[in-house]
Amino acid sequence: MPWKIGWEQKLTRQPAYRIRKESKMFTSFDYYEQAEKLVPPLKNPSLFEREQNIIKNFAESAHTVEDWNTGCPFCKEKEYKLFFTKWKVPYYKCPNCFSIYAGIDGEELKRYKKNEALAALRLDWEYQSDTSNRRTILWNDLLDWYRFRCFRYLGKNQNLKILDFGTRYRELIRLIKNSGLVHSYELRNSILSINADEKTESADVVLCMDYIQMEFVPLQFLKEVHKSLKDNGLLFFSIRMGSGIDVLALKENNKSIFPYEFNLLPTPKGLRILLEQAGFEVLELTTPGTMDVSYLHEQVNSLENENAFLYYFLKTAGAAELAEFQRFLQKSGLSSYAQLVARKEK
């Protein structure tokens, strides 16, 4: 995670960081080298294919919005350009903040969130246990990230009131509850919400990991989050970024980006505008992703006509050059995976 460098205490370099003087926002792009085969692939290919087939069938039959007149979900810019189309769903790019968003219909999104076949797959024991086996190391690092940031900004990392949006993995919820962070825990907007504790009011911390990108009106959602937090409470979230290199280079060929799961792909500028509108101060925005170069390398043939430089580089670079390129993306804020910490302003 962004504050840790290395796996198994394998330190490779000192952390790189910079602080934007005008906002005091910490934009640390710490980085690490992942040891070979230490962490298995994050997704089971067979289960991921089944999951995608369900989503693809839904997307191709759903109503889409061809004439977008509601403005950019982040900066409200009315102008837009078609960037790509995937599974019959258009993705538009904002010319002001450069964020990307899907032209989906709000009612169709509500229907998608109630898709019984998708929920059944994700609740299945095989799906849950396989995901846990692949991500437990990453989840423990995530908990360390929570502890470190809570202590930095709240002065404590125990007995916190936590409100969690969207988490759908039983093992991750168990780890959070047993981490020492929790005084009370509530889960909302999840297929596992039946496990929620009593309703949380004035939460110390709100978690929205890999969730906000599904929203149709993110400002409305963040205002709901704002009301749920106590003054100076913290919002943690992660999101795939429209400024990330694999998103911009692969477009519709990106196998890990698809409609209804990834409707919002913001840029750092778009995120800051959105959060400030909702009453949050952005404390940290980091891009600690490690998979960008892997995604590009796996789909390099999709780049030949789209990006001759990347195609040449990926075809000819050795392991050291590829690792250095990934570090550059992390440090420069150009990975497609971002983590953010924001504080509720009074």
Side-chain angles (χ1 to χ4, degrees):
M1 305 319 289
W3 71 275
K4 292 186 73 176
I5 307 173
W7 292 89
E8 295 184 329
Q9 306 302 315
K10 178 185 176 184
L11 300 182
T12 58
R13 294 180 182 234
Q14 294 300 310
Y17 67 90
R18 66 175 181 265
I19 299 177
R20 298 174 68 245
K21 293 182 180 179
E22 66 273 20
S23 69
K24 307 288 186 173
M25 184 181 76
F26 180 71
T27 55
S28 167
F29 305 116
D30 299 350
Y31 52 93
Y32 51 85
E33 291 182 359
Q34 181 173 317
E36 284 294 321
K37 299 182 180 179
L38 179 61
V39 179
L42 294 182
K43 294 182 181 292
N44 178 305
S46 176
L47 291 173
F48 187 47
E49 183 179 5
R50 288 168 57 190
E51 189 174 35
Q52 280 199 315
N53 285 338
I54 294 171
I55 299 170
K56 181 179 180 181
N57 289 335
F58 180 92
E60 290 184 338
S61 64
H63 172 69
T64 58
V65 180
E66 301 294 340
D67 184 18
W68 192 269
N69 57 11
T70 59
C72 172
F74 302 96
C75 70
K76 305 305 180 186
E77 170 63 48
K78 292 293 185 180
E79 297 295 321
Y80 63 91
K81 293 183 179 180
L82 180 67
F83 189 53
F84 64 84
T85 300
K86 182 159 187 175
W87 300 346
K88 298 184 179 181
V89 176
Y91 276 80
Y92 302 116
K93 181 187 279 190
C94 172
N96 177 46
C97 71
F98 304 103
S99 296
I100 300 166
Y101 49 93
I104 60 169
D105 180 89
E107 292 303 314
E108 294 285 20
L109 180 59
K110 292 178 182 178
R111 192 165 66 89
Y112 172 77
K113 290 180 178 181
K114 297 177 181 179
N115 188 292
E116 293 182 358
L118 188 59
L121 173 63
R122 290 172 170 172
L123 288 170
D124 184 75
W125 180 88
E126 180 185 9
Y127 184 98
Q128 290 281 327
S129 62
D130 185 87
T131 302
S132 298
N133 290 336
R134 293 169 183 272
R135 302 191 185 192
T136 298
I137 292 175
L138 297 178
W139 286 343
N140 281 314
D141 282 344
L142 179 66
L143 290 173
D144 285 340
W145 182 59
Y146 292 154
R147 292 187 188 99
F148 190 83
R149 267 47 187 181
C150 285
F151 191 80
R152 168 180 281 175
Y153 298 117
L154 295 177
K156 63 176 183 177
N157 56 14
Q158 294 180 318
N159 298 318
L160 300 170
K161 292 184 178 181
I162 294 179
L163 173 57
D164 187 350
F165 283 89
T167 295
R168 59 176 181 247
Y169 303 114
R170 295 186 182 95
E171 178 62 14
L172 177 54
I173 292 170
R174 187 190 71 80
L175 290 172
I176 293 171
K177 287 184 172 183
N178 294 337
S179 66
L181 287 163
V182 177
H183 169 73
S184 64
Y185 175 89
E186 182 193 351
L187 180 64
R188 295 184 193 171
N189 300 8
S190 168
I191 55 177
L192 297 172
S193 291
I194 56 172
N195 295 327
D197 291 341
E198 294 182 3
K199 196 167 186 65
T200 300
E201 296 181 358
S202 299
D204 296 294
V205 171
V206 168
L207 309 178
C208 295
M209 307 307 287
D210 300 318
Y211 178 78
I212 291 178
Q213 67 259 13
M214 288 185 63
E215 286 299 303
F216 182 67
V217 186
L219 181 58
Q220 179 179 318
F221 170 73
L222 286 172
K223 285 183 176 179
E224 176 188 346
V225 170
H226 190 273
K227 291 179 181 178
S228 300
L229 275 169
K230 64 174 56 174
D231 289 345
N232 296 318
L234 298 181
L235 166 63
F236 291 89
F237 74 82
S238 60
I239 193 168
R240 292 296 295 273
M241 298 290 280
S243 50
I245 189 170
D246 65 292
V247 174
L248 292 173
L250 292 170
K251 299 181 181 179
E252 69 274 13
N253 295 313
N254 193 319
K255 295 179 181 178
S256 66
I257 298 293
F258 38 89
Y260 290 96
E261 285 293 307
F262 301 93
N263 304 320
L264 303 175
L265 298 165
T267 61
K269 178 181 178 180
L271 275 181
R272 283 192 286 269
I273 292 172
L274 178 67
L275 284 157
E276 288 169 2
Q277 288 177 339
F280 287 95
E281 175 192 4
V282 179
L283 301 173
E284 300 186 21
L285 175 57
T286 62
T287 58
T290 61
M291 300 299 294
D292 307 87
V293 173
S294 295
Y295 291 145
L296 291 169
H297 204 266
E298 290 169 3
Q299 300 171 66
V300 64
N301 290 330
S302 300
L303 295 170
E304 185 169 10
N305 297 321
E306 293 290 330
N307 193 313
F309 170 76
L310 273 179
Y311 178 80
Y312 171 78
F313 174 74
L314 293 166
K315 281 288 191 179
T316 60
E321 289 81 10
L322 294 174
E324 188 63 33
F325 187 40
Q326 183 64 57
R327 285 194 292 270
F328 164 76
L329 297 174
Q330 291 172 331
K331 291 185 291 181
S332 304
L334 297 173
S335 169
S336 65
Y337 173 75
Q339 290 180 314
L340 187 143
V341 184
R343 177 165 52 203
K344 175 180 177 177
E345 294 183 321
K346 294 182 180 180

